[in-house]
Every structure is written in structure tokens, then in C-alpha cells.
């Protein structure tokens, strides 16, 4: 017999600074779902490459090393974790150095193939359902997700949010970095940042975080009810 809490897979995509992580974690927590930050996995493999002397500007070197690190993601939305070879990487993967290199590493097809397989296995093993956030979840990783949401916001709003997160960072520089990252992620050949045809677009520019969360929770509940 179907219940109101039928397993549901939710894909939330969009560029940086749209409120994607905060929204995804809160939606997962509100609905009792698992949560996966796929961007953290790409950051983790980038951090490992930098720590192990791999030239991240050399796609062949990155491809050759891609299978070496063991990345494990904890999926509790209240306390998501990520380890690389057993070492807690949650803090180190957020450094400016990793941020500036992650687009290059994540553009390497071999890296995407490995991480995509990891993401699919986590989603498949999530009892009750999962919220997966990233840039290519609805288009590539989980094209059969029950609900696909694409968050957007103006570059100005996104830069202001990121500057707030990065305490005291230069607003203009932050906006420039975001636009550059968008171009790299949207322009890459393998699994570019793109909105799935059947995704619901939510512009968060004028919305508070609570309003965005409420909107997405409602969308998920509607999908659950229709299953």
C-alpha cells in the first residue's frame, strides 16, 4: 500500500550562490530524506589532486589519478560529512585554492564518470529517498529523478550571498569569480551546467531562504502525493 512518504528522488541544480546547499539540506531535513552535496565530491577529488602533486591543469594527469582517492559522503542533512581516504575533508575542500581549481578538474570526463557512478550508487541506496544537489543532476546523473528543480538568481544577488558566506570578501571580485565559474561549468563538453527540460525553475533573487525552502517542499509533497 502506498503511503504519503513514498520514496522520492529530488534533483536540485543551479549555479553557485542561488541558495542551493541551504535549500537542499533544509528540504531533506523537513521531509526526512537523505542529502547529497555532489559539488563537495568534486571539491574533494580536487583537494586530493592538489595535495598529491597532480598538475590539475593537465587533463591526462588528472584522468590517470582520478581512480585513486576513496571519497565517502555522509548523507545526514543535519550533519553531512565527506572523507577522502578516511580523512575528514569538509573544511579543507572549501579553501579558495580548491574553489579556483575545481572547474578544471570536474571538466575531465574520467573524473565525471567516476563521480557520477558514485552519486548514482548513493542515490540508489538511500532508503526513503534523497535530495541530490549539483550542476548536472537532473540532466546527467539522475535523469529519472521524481522532481527536478533548477535554482537561479541574478549575478548580483548571488555575489552578495557568497560575500556574506565568505565574510568580508570583495563583492565585485566575488561576482567576477561566479560569472567565470558559470562560463566554465556551462561551457564544458562533459555534463555541462544546464537546466533539464522537465525541471521546475525557481528564481531566488527576490525570495528569502525560507520562501525557497517552502516552495521546494511543496513541490516535493505534490510529487509524493501523485506517486
Amino acid at each position: 500500500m502506498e503511503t504519503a512518504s513514498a520514496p522520492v528522488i529530488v534533483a536540485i541544480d543551479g549555479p553557485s550562490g542561488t541558495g542551493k546547499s541551504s535549500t537542499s539540506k533544509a528540504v531533506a531535513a523537513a521531509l526526512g530524506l537523505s542529502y547529497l552535496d555532489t559539488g563537495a565530491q568534486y571539491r574533494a577529488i580536487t583537494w586530493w589532486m592538489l595535495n598529491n602533486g597532480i598538475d590539475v591543469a593537465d587533463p591526462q594527469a588528472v584522468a590517470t589519478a582520478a581512480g585513486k582517492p576513496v571519497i565517502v559522503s555522509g548523507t545526514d542533512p543535519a550533519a553531512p560529512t565527506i572523507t577522502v581516504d578516511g580523512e575528514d575533508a569538509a573544511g579543507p575542500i572549501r579553501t579558495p585554492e580548491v574553489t579556483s581549481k575545481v572547474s578544471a578538474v570536474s571538466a575531465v570526463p574520467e573524473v565525471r564518470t567516476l563521480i557520477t557512478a558514485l552519486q548514482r550508487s548513493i542515490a540508489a541506496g538511500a532508503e526513503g529517498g534523497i535530495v541530490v544537489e549539483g550542476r548536472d543532476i537532473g540532466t546527467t546523473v539522475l535523469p529519472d529523478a521524481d522532481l527536478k528543480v533548477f535554482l537561479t538568481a541574478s549575478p548580483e544577488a548571488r555575489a552578495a550571498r557568497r560575500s556574506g558566506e565568505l565574510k568580508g570578501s570583495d563583492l565585485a571580485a566575488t561576482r567576477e569569480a561566479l560569472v567565470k565559474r558559470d562560463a566554465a561549468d556551462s561551457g564544458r563538453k562533459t555534463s555541462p551546467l544546464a537546466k533539464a527540460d522537465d525541471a521546475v525553475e525557481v528564481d531566488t533573487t527576490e525570495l528569502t531562504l525560507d520562501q525557497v525552502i517552502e516552495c521546494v517542499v511543496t513541490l516535493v509533497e505534490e510529487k509524493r502525493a501523485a506517486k
Side-chain angles (χ1 to χ4, degrees), residues 136-165:
D136 66 337
I137 311 307
T139 52
T140 302
V141 181
L142 299 169
D144 297 325
D146 297 299
L147 173 67
K148 301 173 188 177
V149 177
F150 193 85
L151 298 183
T152 63
S154 71
E156 291 71 25
R158 292 165 51 211
R161 287 171 191 162
R162 287 326 286 268
S163 291
E165 290 169 14

PDB file of all heavy atoms in Angstrom, residues 136-165:
ATOM      1  N   ASP A 136      24.591  19.001 -12.638  1.00  0.00           N
ATOM      2  CA  ASP A 136      24.155  18.161 -13.761  1.00  0.00           C
ATOM      3  C   ASP A 136      23.311  16.983 -13.269  1.00  0.00           C
ATOM      4  O   ASP A 136      23.260  15.940 -13.910  1.00  0.00           O
ATOM      5  CB  ASP A 136      25.361  17.644 -14.545  1.00  0.00           C
ATOM      6  CG  ASP A 136      26.228  16.679 -13.727  1.00  0.00           C
ATOM      7  OD1 ASP A 136      26.168  16.734 -12.483  1.00  0.00           O
ATOM      8  OD2 ASP A 136      26.964  15.878 -14.324  1.00  0.00           O
ATOM      9  N   ILE A 137      22.642  17.149 -12.139  1.00  0.00           N
ATOM     10  CA  ILE A 137      21.905  16.021 -11.548  1.00  0.00           C
ATOM     11  C   ILE A 137      20.685  15.667 -12.399  1.00  0.00           C
ATOM     12  O   ILE A 137      20.488  14.520 -12.780  1.00  0.00           O
ATOM     13  CB  ILE A 137      21.479  16.326 -10.095  1.00  0.00           C
ATOM     14  CG1 ILE A 137      22.666  16.860  -9.269  1.00  0.00           C
ATOM     15  CG2 ILE A 137      20.900  15.067  -9.441  1.00  0.00           C
ATOM     16  CD1 ILE A 137      23.904  15.994  -9.310  1.00  0.00           C
ATOM     17  N   GLY A 138      19.869  16.669 -12.706  1.00  0.00           N
ATOM     18  CA  GLY A 138      18.662  16.412 -13.484  1.00  0.00           C
ATOM     19  C   GLY A 138      18.922  16.034 -14.926  1.00  0.00           C
ATOM     20  O   GLY A 138      18.136  15.319 -15.544  1.00  0.00           O
ATOM     21  N   THR A 139      20.050  16.499 -15.468  1.00  0.00           N
ATOM     22  CA  THR A 139      20.347  16.235 -16.887  1.00  0.00           C
ATOM     23  C   THR A 139      21.138  14.953 -17.089  1.00  0.00           C
ATOM     24  O   THR A 139      20.911  14.224 -18.049  1.00  0.00           O
ATOM     25  CB  THR A 139      21.152  17.402 -17.496  1.00  0.00           C
ATOM     26  OG1 THR A 139      22.296  17.657 -16.655  1.00  0.00           O
ATOM     27  CG2 THR A 139      20.309  18.647 -17.628  1.00  0.00           C
ATOM     28  N   THR A 140      22.077  14.660 -16.202  1.00  0.00           N
ATOM     29  CA  THR A 140      23.012  13.561 -16.430  1.00  0.00           C
ATOM     30  C   THR A 140      23.008  12.490 -15.343  1.00  0.00           C
ATOM     31  O   THR A 140      22.899  11.307 -15.632  1.00  0.00           O
ATOM     32  CB  THR A 140      24.461  14.110 -16.558  1.00  0.00           C
ATOM     33  OG1 THR A 140      24.502  15.057 -17.623  1.00  0.00           O
ATOM     34  CG2 THR A 140      25.463  12.990 -16.830  1.00  0.00           C
ATOM     35  N   VAL A 141      23.140  12.909 -14.087  1.00  0.00           N
ATOM     36  CA  VAL A 141      23.320  11.935 -13.004  1.00  0.00           C
ATOM     37  C   VAL A 141      22.039  11.144 -12.730  1.00  0.00           C
ATOM     38  O   VAL A 141      22.043   9.916 -12.688  1.00  0.00           O
ATOM     39  CB  VAL A 141      23.810  12.629 -11.711  1.00  0.00           C
ATOM     40  CG1 VAL A 141      24.008  11.601 -10.588  1.00  0.00           C
ATOM     41  CG2 VAL A 141      25.115  13.374 -11.963  1.00  0.00           C
ATOM     42  N   LEU A 142      20.940  11.877 -12.542  1.00  0.00           N
ATOM     43  CA  LEU A 142      19.659  11.230 -12.213  1.00  0.00           C
ATOM     44  C   LEU A 142      18.556  11.755 -13.140  1.00  0.00           C
ATOM     45  O   LEU A 142      17.627  12.440 -12.706  1.00  0.00           O
ATOM     46  CB  LEU A 142      19.296  11.502 -10.751  1.00  0.00           C
ATOM     47  CG  LEU A 142      20.293  10.986  -9.703  1.00  0.00           C
ATOM     48  CD1 LEU A 142      19.962  11.543  -8.327  1.00  0.00           C
ATOM     49  CD2 LEU A 142      20.315   9.457  -9.669  1.00  0.00           C
ATOM     50  N   PRO A 143      18.644  11.429 -14.435  1.00  0.00           N
ATOM     51  CA  PRO A 143      17.657  11.959 -15.385  1.00  0.00           C
ATOM     52  C   PRO A 143      16.232  11.473 -15.119  1.00  0.00           C
ATOM     53  O   PRO A 143      15.276  12.063 -15.605  1.00  0.00           O
ATOM     54  CB  PRO A 143      18.166  11.472 -16.750  1.00  0.00           C
ATOM     55  CG  PRO A 143      19.056  10.312 -16.445  1.00  0.00           C
ATOM     56  CD  PRO A 143      19.648  10.582 -15.107  1.00  0.00           C
ATOM     57  N   ASP A 144      16.091  10.395 -14.318  1.00  0.00           N
ATOM     58  CA  ASP A 144      14.759   9.885 -13.988  1.00  0.00           C
ATOM     59  C   ASP A 144      14.293  10.321 -12.603  1.00  0.00           C
ATOM     60  O   ASP A 144      13.369   9.719 -12.033  1.00  0.00           O
ATOM     61  CB  ASP A 144      14.753   8.344 -14.072  1.00  0.00           C
ATOM     62  CG  ASP A 144      15.037   7.854 -15.488  1.00  0.00           C
ATOM     63  OD1 ASP A 144      14.596   8.526 -16.438  1.00  0.00           O
ATOM     64  OD2 ASP A 144      15.711   6.820 -15.641  1.00  0.00           O
ATOM     65  N   ALA A 145      14.926  11.345 -12.040  1.00  0.00           N
ATOM     66  CA  ALA A 145      14.520  11.840 -10.715  1.00  0.00           C
ATOM     67  C   ALA A 145      13.026  12.192 -10.709  1.00  0.00           C
ATOM     68  O   ALA A 145      12.481  12.631 -11.720  1.00  0.00           O
ATOM     69  CB  ALA A 145      15.339  13.076 -10.345  1.00  0.00           C
ATOM     70  N   ASP A 146      12.389  11.976  -9.555  1.00  0.00           N
ATOM     71  CA  ASP A 146      10.949  12.254  -9.440  1.00  0.00           C
ATOM     72  C   ASP A 146      10.651  13.743  -9.607  1.00  0.00           C
ATOM     73  O   ASP A 146       9.635  14.128 -10.176  1.00  0.00           O
ATOM     74  CB  ASP A 146      10.436  11.780  -8.075  1.00  0.00           C
ATOM     75  CG  ASP A 146      10.589  10.281  -7.916  1.00  0.00           C
ATOM     76  OD1 ASP A 146       9.986   9.544  -8.714  1.00  0.00           O
ATOM     77  OD2 ASP A 146      11.329   9.853  -7.010  1.00  0.00           O
ATOM     78  N   LEU A 147      11.552  14.564  -9.083  1.00  0.00           N
ATOM     79  CA  LEU A 147      11.385  16.018  -9.183  1.00  0.00           C
ATOM     80  C   LEU A 147      12.728  16.646  -9.488  1.00  0.00           C
ATOM     81  O   LEU A 147      13.736  16.322  -8.867  1.00  0.00           O
ATOM     82  CB  LEU A 147      10.845  16.596  -7.863  1.00  0.00           C
ATOM     83  CG  LEU A 147      10.779  18.134  -7.783  1.00  0.00           C
ATOM     84  CD1 LEU A 147       9.749  18.691  -8.767  1.00  0.00           C
ATOM     85  CD2 LEU A 147      10.464  18.597  -6.363  1.00  0.00           C
ATOM     86  N   LYS A 148      12.734  17.559 -10.464  1.00  0.00           N
ATOM     87  CA  LYS A 148      13.943  18.306 -10.805  1.00  0.00           C
ATOM     88  C   LYS A 148      13.667  19.793 -10.594  1.00  0.00           C
ATOM     89  O   LYS A 148      12.685  20.320 -11.118  1.00  0.00           O
ATOM     90  CB  LYS A 148      14.335  18.061 -12.259  1.00  0.00           C
ATOM     91  CG  LYS A 148      14.606  16.600 -12.576  1.00  0.00           C
ATOM     92  CD  LYS A 148      14.830  16.400 -14.062  1.00  0.00           C
ATOM     93  CE  LYS A 148      14.903  14.924 -14.404  1.00  0.00           C
ATOM     94  NZ  LYS A 148      15.041  14.721 -15.859  1.00  0.00           N
ATOM     95  N   VAL A 149      14.531  20.419  -9.819  1.00  0.00           N
ATOM     96  CA  VAL A 149      14.400  21.853  -9.547  1.00  0.00           C
ATOM     97  C   VAL A 149      15.674  22.536 -10.015  1.00  0.00           C
ATOM     98  O   VAL A 149      16.784  22.035  -9.762  1.00  0.00           O
ATOM     99  CB  VAL A 149      14.188  22.113  -8.037  1.00  0.00           C
ATOM    100  CG1 VAL A 149      14.126  23.613  -7.757  1.00  0.00           C
ATOM    101  CG2 VAL A 149      12.924  21.422  -7.537  1.00  0.00           C
ATOM    102  N   PHE A 150      15.537  23.657 -10.717  1.00  0.00           N
ATOM    103  CA  PHE A 150      16.704  24.427 -11.158  1.00  0.00           C
ATOM    104  C   PHE A 150      16.611  25.807 -10.516  1.00  0.00           C
ATOM    105  O   PHE A 150      15.704  26.584 -10.817  1.00  0.00           O
ATOM    106  CB  PHE A 150      16.741  24.546 -12.683  1.00  0.00           C
ATOM    107  CG  PHE A 150      18.063  25.060 -13.208  1.00  0.00           C
ATOM    108  CD1 PHE A 150      19.120  24.190 -13.441  1.00  0.00           C
ATOM    109  CD2 PHE A 150      18.255  26.414 -13.453  1.00  0.00           C
ATOM    110  CE1 PHE A 150      20.343  24.661 -13.918  1.00  0.00           C
ATOM    111  CE2 PHE A 150      19.470  26.892 -13.931  1.00  0.00           C
ATOM    112  CZ  PHE A 150      20.524  26.003 -14.163  1.00  0.00           C
ATOM    113  N   LEU A 151      17.526  26.091  -9.591  1.00  0.00           N
ATOM    114  CA  LEU A 151      17.531  27.383  -8.896  1.00  0.00           C
ATOM    115  C   LEU A 151      18.362  28.395  -9.678  1.00  0.00           C
ATOM    116  O   LEU A 151      19.456  28.078 -10.161  1.00  0.00           O
ATOM    117  CB  LEU A 151      18.114  27.232  -7.488  1.00  0.00           C
ATOM    118  CG  LEU A 151      17.378  26.320  -6.509  1.00  0.00           C
ATOM    119  CD1 LEU A 151      18.060  26.358  -5.144  1.00  0.00           C
ATOM    120  CD2 LEU A 151      15.910  26.708  -6.368  1.00  0.00           C
ATOM    121  N   THR A 152      17.837  29.602  -9.809  1.00  0.00           N
ATOM    122  CA  THR A 152      18.584  30.677 -10.453  1.00  0.00           C
ATOM    123  C   THR A 152      18.518  31.916  -9.554  1.00  0.00           C
ATOM    124  O   THR A 152      17.738  31.974  -8.611  1.00  0.00           O
ATOM    125  CB  THR A 152      17.993  31.055 -11.834  1.00  0.00           C
ATOM    126  OG1 THR A 152      16.655  31.548 -11.636  1.00  0.00           O
ATOM    127  CG2 THR A 152      17.949  29.862 -12.763  1.00  0.00           C
ATOM    128  N   ALA A 153      19.338  32.898  -9.863  1.00  0.00           N
ATOM    129  CA  ALA A 153      19.297  34.204  -9.199  1.00  0.00           C
ATOM    130  C   ALA A 153      20.197  35.125 -10.007  1.00  0.00           C
ATOM    131  O   ALA A 153      21.060  34.663 -10.761  1.00  0.00           O
ATOM    132  CB  ALA A 153      19.784  34.113  -7.752  1.00  0.00           C
ATOM    133  N   SER A 154      19.994  36.423  -9.852  1.00  0.00           N
ATOM    134  CA  SER A 154      20.832  37.371 -10.578  1.00  0.00           C
ATOM    135  C   SER A 154      22.278  37.277 -10.081  1.00  0.00           C
ATOM    136  O   SER A 154      22.518  36.923  -8.922  1.00  0.00           O
ATOM    137  CB  SER A 154      20.324  38.806 -10.358  1.00  0.00           C
ATOM    138  OG  SER A 154      20.596  39.213  -9.025  1.00  0.00           O
ATOM    139  N   PRO A 155      23.255  37.589 -10.944  1.00  0.00           N
ATOM    140  CA  PRO A 155      24.661  37.547 -10.515  1.00  0.00           C
ATOM    141  C   PRO A 155      24.914  38.422  -9.290  1.00  0.00           C
ATOM    142  O   PRO A 155      25.700  38.065  -8.414  1.00  0.00           O
ATOM    143  CB  PRO A 155      25.426  38.065 -11.736  1.00  0.00           C
ATOM    144  CG  PRO A 155      24.539  37.741 -12.900  1.00  0.00           C
ATOM    145  CD  PRO A 155      23.137  37.904 -12.384  1.00  0.00           C
ATOM    146  N   GLU A 156      24.203  39.570  -9.232  1.00  0.00           N
ATOM    147  CA  GLU A 156      24.387  40.485  -8.097  1.00  0.00           C
ATOM    148  C   GLU A 156      23.930  39.845  -6.790  1.00  0.00           C
ATOM    149  O   GLU A 156      24.615  39.904  -5.765  1.00  0.00           O
ATOM    150  CB  GLU A 156      23.625  41.794  -8.335  1.00  0.00           C
ATOM    151  CG  GLU A 156      24.193  42.681  -9.438  1.00  0.00           C
ATOM    152  CD  GLU A 156      23.982  42.130 -10.849  1.00  0.00           C
ATOM    153  OE1 GLU A 156      23.024  41.334 -11.058  1.00  0.00           O
ATOM    154  OE2 GLU A 156      24.778  42.475 -11.746  1.00  0.00           O
ATOM    155  N   ALA A 157      22.751  39.223  -6.830  1.00  0.00           N
ATOM    156  CA  ALA A 157      22.210  38.576  -5.625  1.00  0.00           C
ATOM    157  C   ALA A 157      23.110  37.419  -5.191  1.00  0.00           C
ATOM    158  O   ALA A 157      23.389  37.235  -4.003  1.00  0.00           O
ATOM    159  CB  ALA A 157      20.793  38.067  -5.895  1.00  0.00           C
ATOM    160  N   ARG A 158      23.591  36.667  -6.164  1.00  0.00           N
ATOM    161  CA  ARG A 158      24.448  35.530  -5.850  1.00  0.00           C
ATOM    162  C   ARG A 158      25.773  35.978  -5.256  1.00  0.00           C
ATOM    163  O   ARG A 158      26.268  35.392  -4.286  1.00  0.00           O
ATOM    164  CB  ARG A 158      24.675  34.698  -7.118  1.00  0.00           C
ATOM    165  CG  ARG A 158      23.400  34.000  -7.585  1.00  0.00           C
ATOM    166  CD  ARG A 158      23.520  33.480  -8.997  1.00  0.00           C
ATOM    167  NE  ARG A 158      24.722  32.692  -9.150  1.00  0.00           N
ATOM    168  CZ  ARG A 158      25.424  32.589 -10.273  1.00  0.00           C
ATOM    169  NH1 ARG A 158      25.037  33.240 -11.357  1.00  0.00           N
ATOM    170  NH2 ARG A 158      26.497  31.860 -10.321  1.00  0.00           N
ATOM    171  N   ALA A 159      26.341  37.047  -5.821  1.00  0.00           N
ATOM    172  CA  ALA A 159      27.615  37.567  -5.306  1.00  0.00           C
ATOM    173  C   ALA A 159      27.448  38.075  -3.879  1.00  0.00           C
ATOM    174  O   ALA A 159      28.305  37.857  -3.018  1.00  0.00           O
ATOM    175  CB  ALA A 159      28.139  38.675  -6.209  1.00  0.00           C
ATOM    176  N   ALA A 160      26.320  38.742  -3.618  1.00  0.00           N
ATOM    177  CA  ALA A 160      26.063  39.268  -2.266  1.00  0.00           C
ATOM    178  C   ALA A 160      25.967  38.114  -1.266  1.00  0.00           C
ATOM    179  O   ALA A 160      26.495  38.192  -0.148  1.00  0.00           O
ATOM    180  CB  ALA A 160      24.778  40.088  -2.256  1.00  0.00           C
ATOM    181  N   ARG A 161      25.316  37.035  -1.666  1.00  0.00           N
ATOM    182  CA  ARG A 161      25.187  35.876  -0.771  1.00  0.00           C
ATOM    183  C   ARG A 161      26.536  35.225  -0.517  1.00  0.00           C
ATOM    184  O   ARG A 161      26.867  34.877   0.613  1.00  0.00           O
ATOM    185  CB  ARG A 161      24.228  34.847  -1.380  1.00  0.00           C
ATOM    186  CG  ARG A 161      22.777  35.288  -1.314  1.00  0.00           C
ATOM    187  CD  ARG A 161      21.874  34.360  -2.119  1.00  0.00           C
ATOM    188  NE  ARG A 161      20.541  34.920  -2.261  1.00  0.00           N
ATOM    189  CZ  ARG A 161      19.661  34.534  -3.172  1.00  0.00           C
ATOM    190  NH1 ARG A 161      19.984  33.574  -4.028  1.00  0.00           N
ATOM    191  NH2 ARG A 161      18.463  35.080  -3.236  1.00  0.00           N
ATOM    192  N   ARG A 162      27.310  35.049  -1.583  1.00  0.00           N
ATOM    193  CA  ARG A 162      28.616  34.428  -1.410  1.00  0.00           C
ATOM    194  C   ARG A 162      29.539  35.295  -0.569  1.00  0.00           C
ATOM    195  O   ARG A 162      30.305  34.799   0.242  1.00  0.00           O
ATOM    196  CB  ARG A 162      29.288  34.142  -2.767  1.00  0.00           C
ATOM    197  CG  ARG A 162      28.729  33.017  -3.595  1.00  0.00           C
ATOM    198  CD  ARG A 162      28.206  31.848  -2.803  1.00  0.00           C
ATOM    199  NE  ARG A 162      29.191  30.977  -2.205  1.00  0.00           N
ATOM    200  CZ  ARG A 162      29.691  29.881  -2.776  1.00  0.00           C
ATOM    201  NH1 ARG A 162      29.333  29.536  -3.978  1.00  0.00           N
ATOM    202  NH2 ARG A 162      30.534  29.117  -2.121  1.00  0.00           N
ATOM    203  N   SER A 163      29.466  36.614  -0.760  1.00  0.00           N
ATOM    204  CA  SER A 163      30.300  37.518   0.032  1.00  0.00           C
ATOM    205  C   SER A 163      29.931  37.414   1.502  1.00  0.00           C
ATOM    206  O   SER A 163      30.787  37.475   2.380  1.00  0.00           O
ATOM    207  CB  SER A 163      30.141  38.964  -0.443  1.00  0.00           C
ATOM    208  OG  SER A 163      30.710  39.121  -1.717  1.00  0.00           O
ATOM    209  N   GLY A 164      28.638  37.271   1.754  1.00  0.00           N
ATOM    210  CA  GLY A 164      28.172  37.089   3.136  1.00  0.00           C
ATOM    211  C   GLY A 164      28.720  35.816   3.731  1.00  0.00           C
ATOM    212  O   GLY A 164      29.161  35.779   4.885  1.00  0.00           O
ATOM    213  N   GLU A 165      28.741  34.743   2.934  1.00  0.00           N
ATOM    214  CA  GLU A 165      29.272  33.462   3.395  1.00  0.00           C
ATOM    215  C   GLU A 165      30.782  33.540   3.607  1.00  0.00           C
ATOM    216  O   GLU A 165      31.326  32.920   4.511  1.00  0.00           O
ATOM    217  CB  GLU A 165      29.004  32.367   2.344  1.00  0.00           C
ATOM    218  CG  GLU A 165      27.546  31.967   2.217  1.00  0.00           C
ATOM    219  CD  GLU A 165      27.311  31.088   0.984  1.00  0.00           C
ATOM    220  OE1 GLU A 165      28.293  30.595   0.406  1.00  0.00           O
ATOM    221  OE2 GLU A 165      26.144  30.920   0.605  1.00  0.00           O
TER     222      GLU A 165
END
